[in-house]
Amino acid sequence: GQNIDQPTEMTATEGAIVQINCTYQTSGFNGLFWYQQHAGEAPTFLSYNVLDGLEEKGRFSSFLSRSKGYSYLLLKELQMKDSASYLCAVVDSNYQLIWGAGTKLIIKP
Amino acid sequence: DGGITQSPKYLFRKEGQNVTLSCEQNLNHDAMYWYRQDPGQGLRLIYYSQIVNDFQKGDIAEGYSVSREKKESFPLTVTSAQKNPTAFYLCASSPEGASLAYTEAFFGQGTRLTVV
C-alpha cells in the first residue's frame, strides 16, 4: 500500500526554528508538495520538490531525499501566525496525489 | 478577485436527506476536484473533472455524485447512500488540465457538513 507518515502534532516557541518531517512509501515518485492549512480554512501551497536537495523560500525551506523517501519542511523565525497544520502530499507513478494526515504545529509565545 | 467559492461554510442535514455542496471558480481553470477531510486522515479524493461534461471517480466516490455542466461550477451531492457523511469537504481547481500532480492546487474555504 501507499503511505505518507508525518508527526501528528508538534510544539515550538515563537522566534525559534522547527522541522516537520514527512516519510513516504509510494508506488513511484513524481514530486512532493507541502501545503499549509489553518483550522477550518483552505490549504495553501508552500512548496514543490521533485529533485533532491533544499528549496528555500523566505522563512520556509523544503528538503527532499528521494533515495530515503524523506522530506522535511523547515520553518525559521517562527511567528504566531505559523500555527497551522502542514500537509505533505506525494505524486505517485500514476500522477495521483497521496496526502499525509498533516502535522498540527502549535506556536507558544 | 479570482478564486474558488464554496457555499455554505457550515451545513446541517438530517440523516437520509440528500444535500448539494456548491463550488464555483472564476480562475478559468479546466480541472476541478472534490476532497473529503477527516480528523487524523489525509485528504481523500471523491471526484474530479478535467473538462466540462466529463468527470471521474476518485478513491471514495460511493454515496456521492457530481455534475460539470459549466466550466466554472462543480457541485457535489452527498446522497443518503453515503454511510458517514459528516466531514469537511474541500473543492479545488488547477490551471493545468491534466492533474494536480503538475501544479499547485487552489482550494476553496471548505464546507463543514454535519448530519444529525
Side-chain angles (χ1 to χ4, degrees), chain A:
Chain A
Q2 309 208 83
N3 196 45
I4 310 288
D5 286 315
Q6 303 179 238
T8 303
E9 187 174 296
M10 298 180 70
T11 302
T13 304
E14 190 177 15
I17 299 173
V18 70
Q19 177 175 310
I20 302 174
N21 296 326
C22 172
T23 58
Y24 60 89
Q25 300 89 38
T26 56
S27 57
F29 177 85
N30 284 296
L32 185 146
F33 289 88
W34 283 97
Y35 282 82
Q36 180 192 60
Q37 185 180 24
H38 286 95
E41 297 185 9
T44 55
F45 171 82
L46 290 177
S47 67
Y48 173 69
N49 294 67
V50 66
L51 299 176
D52 289 350
L54 186 68
E55 297 267 350
E56 297 186 75
K57 191 184 295 184
R59 293 189 299 115
F60 292 11
S61 303
S62 56
F63 171 83
L64 174 67
S65 170
R66 289 172 294 171
S67 62
K68 295 182 179 179
Y70 168 69
S71 173
Y72 67 73
L73 182 69
L74 191 71
L75 290 73
K76 302 176 184 176
E77 300 169 15
L78 286 170
Q79 302 175 10
M80 297 303 292
K81 67 178 182 180
D82 297 330
S83 292
S85 288
Y86 291 85
L87 312 179
C88 172
V90 172
V91 184
D92 71 7
S93 58
N94 294 319
Y95 293 93
Q96 300 299 312
L97 273 176
I98 312 299
W99 293 83
T103 298
K104 183 179 181 181
L105 178 63
I106 299 168
I107 310 296
K108 294 186 175 180

Side-chain angles (χ1 to χ4, degrees), chain A residues 30 33 35 37 40-45 48 87 91 95-102, chain B residues 9 35 37 40-43 45 48 88 90 99-105 107-109:
Chain A
N30 284 296
F33 289 88
Y35 282 82
Q37 185 180 24
E41 297 185 9
T44 55
F45 171 82
Y48 173 69
L87 312 179
V91 184
Y95 293 93
Q96 300 299 312
L97 273 176
I98 312 299
W99 293 83
Chain B
K9 190 170 179 63
Y35 283 97
Q37 188 174 34
Q41 297 191 41
L43 299 181
L45 183 63
Y48 64 101
F88 188 55
L90 284 163
S99 169
L100 287 177
Y102 302 107
T103 184
E104 67 178 279
F107 285 88
Q109 293 296 308

Side-chain angles (χ1 to χ4, degrees), chain B residues 83-100:
Chain B
K83 300 302 180 188
N84 185 21
T86 294
F88 188 55
Y89 291 88
L90 284 163
C91 179
S93 69
S94 63
E96 299 292 332
S99 169
L100 287 177

